[in-house]
């Protein structure tokens, strides 16, 4: 019933068209499986938990153009004005905004110089006792800052002596699990870890150590301040609209800028990834379309080339279904060979990408699923031409010479 | 074995209507060898295509082995062609990408014959046409006469009782044409019924029965049985 052997033999005898298709299918599988894996990886990255209720938080900057006023007192006033807005849960002055792509990081050590012991890199932020609550993160061990912990820095050697850190930092710093209450050194300054936060990510999501984040209870004088506000999720938009006017109302000698939701801030930081994601999607669609069209076109071409042969086969007793089957089998053979080469190619390409761009190792499932999808698409694109072939009249056998 | 009554075939193209067959009547009995002649465009191929169920007809009745062909489904017709009819074409119609063995195998595969049995049949048929030694060759490596012999082997492979040939010698020189004709006569002696369209009067003369198609009708019905020397002409021995 199935004419696998003669179909295979006749394919070997006229390879040119089939080879082109085979190469195209191989390339499609190799590229599409890697592209879809990268997309998957990026989507995972983009939707990862950051620890923050991003939709309820926004931040903005204040730049003062006069210096002769009590900036530290102004911060207190600003925070309480913000807290007074209906819908606001808490507000805090922070040295840097998490997820924004700008911040500070340092190597934290187990001992002071010269013999610094083990070091772990972590991003950090300075803020007062409202930081944890405004960020909306959860302390799972130890305690929050109180007012006595907060150091108002009026000279450079006034630094915080306690800190709250993310769990992943504490665990990396103290693998034995005795991090809470222990002391680390930031340069020569000892800092005791008094609280551990389940999850809070630093300013750079793409950093390998994006999870290592520390809050020091400090407020520093500067003409450039950043404020972070947490609201009821439904109130954020209206609060964001009022904030500039309210800030300028209590002190007009400054500029409010960059009022932005935390989610939007993150999206801005990730704009490049989103663009890549879209381009990869387009690439996949285009490649798959070209392959489908290629199969469709090649089968159409094969049919017009073989009209007489098909008519003859029909005259010799082939049912229409046998003609359809012929083209399906032929396509499956070319496709399977292409898929095999494509799978090998995909693994090599994945390996190359891994080395060149430090992407995670390609999950073989992606190659398998892509191969199956490409196979199905190839079957779909051969069905229309094959049916057309089946409808060629057997009288062609005598009518065309 | 074959019975056509009042067969009409009308080709409908955009502007013109061609009446290819008009009230065509023909009876063919088992074992006959019939040569069909007639001017170009008279409807010979149309008749042969209808006889071989390659085309449908517009009206009339056609019985093949008492089966009313007009009522058959497409699949049934394909199966019937495969079982009862062998086709020989002017252009040989071998499949270029298949070797001789595979070409002869085509109708057997459609019939679903097992591989071992197929092999026997194929080699027998190639033997019969004198090309068994070239089973692995591709059609393009053969001369026209040899290709036509392969096509005959293919037509014979399914052991059809009915052979339809449309100008089987049309593309061959006279020596090769005679060889093919010898082969057909042999096949006829072995019991197959043959209808052959030809333009060659010499070959037509060798067939026991001649019919002439003119303008879609059976204009002349000539029986030469037992009189191989007589010429094809309008003053034929017997008219129906
Ligand atoms: N598919 C078709 N569509 C329209 N007209 C057709 C078609 N096939 C054949 N005809 C017409 O039907 C008539 C009979 O054609 P047919 O091929 O049967 O002639 P023929 O006797 O075999 O001629 P020849 O000796 O040249 O092969 C011709 O006028 C031809 O033009
Ligand atoms: Mg003709």
């Amino acid at each position: 019933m199935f004419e696998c052997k003669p179909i295979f033999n006749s394919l070997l005898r006229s390879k040119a068209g089939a080879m082109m298709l085979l190469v195209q299918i191989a390339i499609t599988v190799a590229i599409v499986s890697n592209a879809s894996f990268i997309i998957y990886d990026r989507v995972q990255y983009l939707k990862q938990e950051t620890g923050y209720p991003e939709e309820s938080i926004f931040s903005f900057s204040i730049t003062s153009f006069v210096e002769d006023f009590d900036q530290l007192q102004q911060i207190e006033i600003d925070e309480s004005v913000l807290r007074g807005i209906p819908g606001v849960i808490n507000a805090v002055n922070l040295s840097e905004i998490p997820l924004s792509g700008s911040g500070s990081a340092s190597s934290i050590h187990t001992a002071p110089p010269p013999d610094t012991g083990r070091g772990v890199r972590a991003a950090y932020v300075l803020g007062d006792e409202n930081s944890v609550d405004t960020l909306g993160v959860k302390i799972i061990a130890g305690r929050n800052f109180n007012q006595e912990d907060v150091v108002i820095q009026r000279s450079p050697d006034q630094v915080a002596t306690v800190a709250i850190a993310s769990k992943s930092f504490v665990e990396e710093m103290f693998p034995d699990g005795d991090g809470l209450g222990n002391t680390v050194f930031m340069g020569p300054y000892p800092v005791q870890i008094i609280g551990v936060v389940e999850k809070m990510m630093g300013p750079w999501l793409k950093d390998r150590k994006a999870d290592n984040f520390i809050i020091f209870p400090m407020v520093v004088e500067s003409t450039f301040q950043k404020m972070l506000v947490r609201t009821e999720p439904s109130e954020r938009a209206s609060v964001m609209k009022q904030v500039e006017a309210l800030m300028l109302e209590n002190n007009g000698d400054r500029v409010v800028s960059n009022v932005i939701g935390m989610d939007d801030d993150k999206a801005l930081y990730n704009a490049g990834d989103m663009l890549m994601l879209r381009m990869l999607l387009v690439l996949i669609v285009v490649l798959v379309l070209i392959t489908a069209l290629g199969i469709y076109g090649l089968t159409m071409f094969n049919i017009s080339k073989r009209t007489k042969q098909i008519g003859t086969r029909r005259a010799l007793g082939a049912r229409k279904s046998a003609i359809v089957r012929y083209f399906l089998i032929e396509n499956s053979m070319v496709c399977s060979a292409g898929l095999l080469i494509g799978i090998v190619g995909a693994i090599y390409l994945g390996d190359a990408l891994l080395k060149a761009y430090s992407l995670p190792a390609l999950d073989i499932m992606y190659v398998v699923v892509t191969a199956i999808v490409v196979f199905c698409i190839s079957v779909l694109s051969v069905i229309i031409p094959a049916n057309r072939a089946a409808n060629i009249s057997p009288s062609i056998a005598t009518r065309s010479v | 074995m074959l019975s056509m009554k009042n067969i009409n075939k009308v080709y409908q193209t955009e502007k013109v209507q061609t009446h290819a067959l008009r009230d065509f009547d023909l009876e063919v009995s088992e074992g006959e060898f019939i040569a069909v002649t007639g001017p170009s465009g008279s409807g010979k191929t149309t008749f042969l295509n209808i006889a071989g169920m390659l085309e449908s007809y517009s009206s009339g009745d056609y019985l093949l082995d008492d089966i009313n062909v007009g009522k058959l489904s497409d699949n049934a017709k394909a199966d019937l062609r495969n079982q009862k009819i062998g086709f020989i074409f002017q252009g040989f119609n071998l499949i270029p990408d298949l070797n001789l063995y595979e070409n002869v195998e085509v109708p057997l595969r459609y019939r679903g014959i097992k591989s071992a049995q197929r092999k026997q049949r194929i080699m027998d048929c190639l033997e019969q046409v004198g090309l068994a030694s070239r089973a692995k060759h591709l059609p393009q490596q053969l001369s026209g006469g040899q290709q036509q012999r392969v096509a005959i082997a293919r037509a014979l492979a399914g052991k059809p009782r009915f052979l339809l040939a449309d100008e089987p010698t049309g593309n061959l020189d006279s020596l090769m044409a005679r060889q093919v004709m010898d082969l057909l006569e042999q096949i006829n002696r072995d019991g197959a019924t043959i209808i052959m369209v030809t333009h060659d009067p010499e070959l037509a003369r060798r067939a026991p029965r001649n019919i002439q198609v003119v303008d879609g009708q059976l204009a002349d019905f000539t029986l030469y049985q037992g009189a191989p020397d007589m010429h094809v002409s309008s003053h034929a021995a017997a008219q129906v």
Side-chain angles (χ1 to χ4, degrees), chain B:
Chain B
M1 140 163 246
L2 176 150
S3 159
M4 285 186 178
K5 283 209 177 63
N6 282 322
I7 295 287
N8 282 280
K9 175 70 182 179
V10 181
Y11 288 112
Q12 184 76 55
T13 47
E14 264 174 52
K15 290 199 186 95
V16 281
Q17 235 190 19
T18 313
H19 221 115
L21 291 182
R22 300 167 200 272
D23 297 333
F24 196 93
D25 290 322
L26 183 70
E27 294 284 338
V28 178
S29 349
E30 187 95 41
E32 281 198 276
F33 189 156
I34 301 173
V36 182
T37 55
S40 187
S42 60
K44 302 181 298 295
T45 298
T46 306
F47 154 65
L48 212 64
N49 278 356
I50 290 173
M53 293 173 286
L54 302 182
E55 269 178 69
S56 58
Y57 43 92
S58 314
S59 68
D61 284 308
Y62 170 27
L63 302 182
L64 179 67
D65 281 339
D66 297 326
I67 301 165
N68 190 340
V69 168
K71 292 203 162 69
L72 295 179
S73 69
D74 192 78
N75 280 347
K77 279 193 243 182
D79 294 350
L80 216 56
R81 280 198 295 272
N82 184 264
Q83 285 155 17
K84 291 190 189 287
I85 303 174
F87 288 95
I88 302 165
F89 308 95
Q90 178 175 1
F92 323 135
N93 291 24
L94 296 175
I95 294 165
D97 292 331
L98 299 180
N99 64 28
L100 304 192
Y101 184 96
E102 291 160 346
N103 262 289
V104 177
E105 193 176 31
V106 170
L108 299 181
R109 279 189 180 268
Y110 290 135
R111 199 181 295 184
I113 293 177
K114 295 254 175 317
S115 164
Q117 248 177 304
R118 279 205 307 259
K119 187 169 183 188
Q120 192 57 47
R121 284 295 302 147
I122 295 162
M123 290 319 287
D124 285 352
C125 291
L126 283 173
E127 197 78 60
Q128 195 177 346
V129 301
L131 288 165
S133 61
R134 312 191 62 168
K136 290 269 180 312
H137 287 204
L138 291 175
Q140 74 220 25
Q141 298 168 304
L142 304 183
S143 74
Q146 289 169 325
Q147 290 191 38
Q148 193 58 298
R149 273 148 58 198
V150 176
I152 293 173
R154 180 177 66 185
L156 292 178
K159 294 194 180 155
R161 288 179 28 246
F162 198 21
L163 225 60
L164 298 177
D166 193 359
E167 301 186 38
T169 60
N171 287 5
L172 303 178
D173 64 29
S174 56
L175 178 70
M176 285 193 181
R178 246 173 282 140
Q179 286 179 357
V180 165
M181 189 63 191
D182 292 345
L183 199 53
L184 290 177
E185 282 177 333
Q186 178 59 48
I187 292 161
N188 178 240
R189 274 197 294 279
D190 291 345
T193 309
I194 300 179
I195 299 180
M196 174 183 76
V197 172
T198 182
H199 276 128
D200 185 338
E202 197 194 321
L203 294 181
R205 211 172 45 141
R206 287 172 62 174
R209 184 180 172 193
N210 273 215
I211 61 173
Q212 204 174 12
V213 180
V214 178
D215 202 16
Q217 283 181 306
L218 213 57
D220 201 352
F221 194 92
T222 317
L223 210 60
Y224 285 97
Q225 215 130 27
D229 292 338
M230 278 181 75
H231 288 268
V232 182
S233 63
S234 55
H235 48 275
Q239 289 203 351
V240 178

Side-chain angles (χ1 to χ4, degrees), chain A residues 4-62:
Chain A
C4 296
K5 205 171 137 226
I7 294 175
F8 184 71
N9 288 344
S10 88
L11 266 176
L12 288 185
R13 285 171 196 138
S14 54
K15 296 191 259 288
M19 280 307 282
M20 269 168 53
L21 194 62
L22 189 150
V23 168
Q24 197 182 331
I25 287 173
I27 290 174
T28 304
V29 170
I31 293 179
V32 168
S33 55
N34 276 286
S36 46
F37 181 64
I38 293 171
I39 288 179
Y40 166 80
D41 179 64
R42 287 292 90 182
V43 167
Q44 288 309 103
Y45 159 80
L46 287 173
K47 38 167 242 213
Q48 70 185 322
E49 275 302 320
T50 54
Y52 309 109
E54 293 162 33
E55 278 80 33
S56 316
I57 295 177
F58 74 93
S59 62
F60 62 93
S61 312
I62 302 172

